């Protein structure tokens, strides 16, 4: 009887196939991690936009006279020098609105991606009763809150999920009554 050899272990071909299958799995996992990170960053930016919108709405609610005078209607970010108000020389409602717009513009630049689309951020308020609002002289007037709505639009561009693909601008639009 001739001697037969027992083959045990893996041959070179089986090892190469196993390495190939394992490598394809790792490449797939790496792609999923990249997409997950980009989606997470997009969610973070949208959260920042929501925070910024609520911040400015609160500033507008705190300055109803400036709001009634349309002092917040503008395209952002705005430029200018910081106002110096003190206890001896307090700010007027219009100056408070200017300060609020400057501070909000700084926050827009810091918290959202810095690109040209950010310049399309805007706030526009319309009153339902303009004649009644014109007769309000000061904060001491006993009147219901602002009788109108404001539209706030914040636009930015996120990074694209695909290499070489241009990302579409994202817009946060909010219609609210301050």
């Amino acid at each position: 009887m001739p001697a037969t050899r027992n083959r045990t272990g893996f041959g070179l071909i089986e090892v190469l196939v196993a390495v190939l299958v394992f490598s394809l799995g790792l490449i797939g996992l790496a792609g999923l991690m990249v997409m997950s990170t980009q989606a997470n960053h997009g969610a973070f930016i949208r959260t920042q936009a929501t925070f910024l919108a609520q911040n400015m709405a609160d500033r507008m609610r705190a300055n109803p006279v400036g709001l009634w005078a349309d002092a917040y209607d503008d395209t952002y970010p705005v430029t200018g020098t910081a106002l110096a108000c003190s206890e001896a020389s307090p700010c007027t409602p219009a100056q408070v609105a200017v300060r609020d717009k400057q501070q909000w513009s700084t926050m827009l630049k810091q918290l959202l991606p810095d690109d040209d689309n950010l310049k399309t951020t805007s706030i526009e308020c319309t009153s339902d009763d303009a004649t009644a609002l014109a007769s309000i002289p000061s904060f001491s007037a006993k009147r219901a809150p602002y009788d109108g709505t404001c539209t706030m639009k914040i636009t930015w561009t996120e990074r694209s999920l695909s290499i070489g693909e241009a990302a579409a601008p994202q817009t946060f639009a909010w219609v609210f009554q301050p």
Side-chain angles (χ1 to χ4, degrees):
M1 240 178 157
T4 60
R5 292 190 337 185
N6 288 339
R7 294 185 181 220
T8 58
F10 290 100
L12 186 56
I13 300 285
E14 287 110 1
V15 170
L16 289 175
V17 169
V19 168
L20 176 69
V21 169
F22 184 71
S23 298
L24 289 175
L26 287 179
I27 289 171
L29 283 174
L32 284 174
M33 287 194 68
V34 167
M35 290 197 61
S36 171
T37 302
Q38 288 176 336
N40 224 5
H41 181 72
F44 171 75
I45 296 297
R46 287 187 290 281
T47 301
Q48 293 300 321
T50 305
F51 164 75
L52 288 167
Q54 187 64 47
N55 180 281
M56 188 55 148
D58 288 343
R59 290 171 186 266
M60 293 165 72
R61 284 185 195 105
N63 185 7
V65 173
L67 179 63
W68 290 328
D70 295 329
Y72 289 94
D73 290 8
D74 210 338
T75 300
Y76 296 84
V78 297
T79 57
T81 58
L83 297 172
C85 300
S86 66
E87 192 174 323
S89 160
C91 286
T92 65
Q95 290 172 325
V96 170
V98 169
R99 187 194 66 213
D100 287 346
K101 292 187 326 185
Q102 290 170 344
Q103 290 175 345
W104 197 59
S105 293
T106 301
M107 292 170 64
L108 283 170
K109 291 176 188 175
Q110 289 175 347
L111 298 176
L112 293 179
D114 188 21
D115 64 355
D116 291 334
N117 286 326
L118 191 59
K119 294 178 181 148
T120 62
T121 298
S122 64
I123 296 176
E124 183 180 337
C125 296
T126 56
S127 173
D128 294 338
D129 189 8
T131 56
L133 294 179
S135 66
I136 306 292
S138 69
F139 281 109
S140 63
K142 303 292 185 213
R143 176 164 173 80
Y146 182 74
D147 187 24
T149 59
C150 293
T151 302
M152 182 182 302
K153 292 181 183 175
I154 303 173
T155 304
W156 70 94
T157 302
E158 294 178 4
R159 289 185 223 147
S160 173
L161 293 177
S162 300
I163 296 174
E165 180 182 318
Q170 303 291 317
T171 301
F172 175 88
W174 185 25
V175 178
F176 63 100
Q177 184 175 14

